[in-house]
Amino acid sequence: MSDDKTSNIWGGRFSEQTDAFVEEFTASVNFDQRMYKHDIAGSRAHARMLNKIGVLSDADLDAILSGLDTVEQEIENGGFNWSVAREDVHMNIESRLTELAGDAGKRLHTGRSRNDQVATDIRLYLRDNIEHIIALIKQLQNGLLDVAEREADSIMPGFTHLQVAQPVTFGHHMMAWYEMLARDASRFADCKARMNVSPLGAAALAGTSYPIDRAMTAAELGFDAPANNSLDAVSDRDFAIEFCAASAILLTHMSRMSEEMVLWSSAQFDFIELPDRYCTGSSIMPQKKNPDVPELVRGKTGRVNGHLVSLLTLMKSQPLAYNKDNQEDKEPLFDTIDTVLGCLRAFADMVPAIECKRDNMLRAAKQGFSTATDLADYLVRKGVAFRDAHEIVGKAVAYGIETGKDLSEMQLDELQQFSEDIGDDVFEVLALEGSVAARNHIGGTAPEQVRAAVKRARG
Ligand code: ARG
């Protein structure tokens, strides 16, 4: 970063140089330079439009377009001299362009302001990243479909209150994660659709007196339409808030998945093995294999939630139209993007590599009387009222706790102490395989339904 003291772009009105600290304090170039490609794309579109309406000559347009190509190359090969004195990505690029293209460079900003420029750049930048995020979510979902198919018959305890509730299949559990992610992907797609309008032409806040063609720049930049209102277009950052909200919900989902992976990979559960390449050891305890990646994803949820609150607070009470406050939108937004991409990348690779310890899961499902509801349902089918059946099974469970036996391990006469309606067809119902297979309706845990859900998702 050079600190050359070139006089400011707005120097005309001022009688003293900007204070050196203020220059540093108000600059955003250290973080907004990552939007350089989108800034240059916006400038190309704007220049072509100015040429089409007769404001820029063909020669000026050529000089601008080839100057922008050079600027882009310089940035990409590391030869660009970013300067805090030029405040932000927009003025850095424009200044360099003017060095390269002379007066033509000075004409580029005709009918434009940094206010519509930055609003355009953020949207373009975010749009690209949303596409990337959706692609990674889809990749993770495809991995989940593979695991769900592989583990469609693998029985595990299903929990409520983290207490064994009813047997489910691991495949069914993976499909629950799949559904959560499907809603996340659609939230990002909605966010993208709503923000995909072009602020270009709003200029500082009121529009411009040049006969600009906003539809042309919008189309060239892949926007669906020009934004309807210039004041709104330059000032609102609701699309960034919406993106952070979608990200916070995604990370909340991923932290729940993380929590389950942490629990399941513990010695106490011992349901799964995480790939070694996603875990670390301890410097002191030789036996340890720590699930660092899920733990870190769980932890990163905090910062993404924080960024959402930052942006909400940033926007709150801002009068129309642009205020410098808005420069503070970028770091929370960029860190959210980086965090979401990193977490998704890790999960997309790690989750399909989870190994299930089927025997352990099955053994765990046999503890905790997970087929108690099945026994109650069985009694109802024999004509017992559900509340009475609930009471009967509760007594059988108490007996099981006392004698150390699961319901399926009791003899028929032991079970018949609690109800004469129990016959020897009860054992089918008490077997875990029978319990899961019986939940054979759309959205149920039966292996057949899991396979059908995977098929629907792939179709
Ligand atoms: N760096 C500024 C931002 O991020 C660009 C817009 C500045 N406009 C202005 N009038 N100061 O918001």
Side-chain angles (χ1 to χ4, degrees), residues 343-397:
C343 292
L344 282 171
R345 186 185 154 171
F347 266 38
D349 185 40
M350 178 183 71
V351 170
I354 289 176
E355 259 176 59
C356 286
K357 299 181 173 176
R358 294 175 192 146
D359 294 344
N360 294 352
M361 296 195 300
L362 187 65
R363 203 175 311 120
K366 284 182 178 156
Q367 292 157 5
F369 305 96
S370 63
T371 53
T373 315
D374 297 274
L375 179 55
D377 289 343
Y378 167 88
L379 288 167
V380 169
R381 284 196 297 275
K382 302 270 168 175
V384 181
F386 183 77
R387 279 292 157 227
D388 294 334
H390 190 285
E391 171 82 17
I392 291 165
V393 178
K395 289 192 175 131
V397 166

Side-chain angles (χ1 to χ4, degrees), residues 137 140-141 144 177-185 250 257:
I137 295 177
L140 171 55
Q141 285 182 291
L144 285 170
W177 290 4
Y178 177 93
E179 289 296 326
M180 291 145 80
L181 292 168
R183 291 192 298 279
D184 288 316
L250 168 68
M257 299 171 195

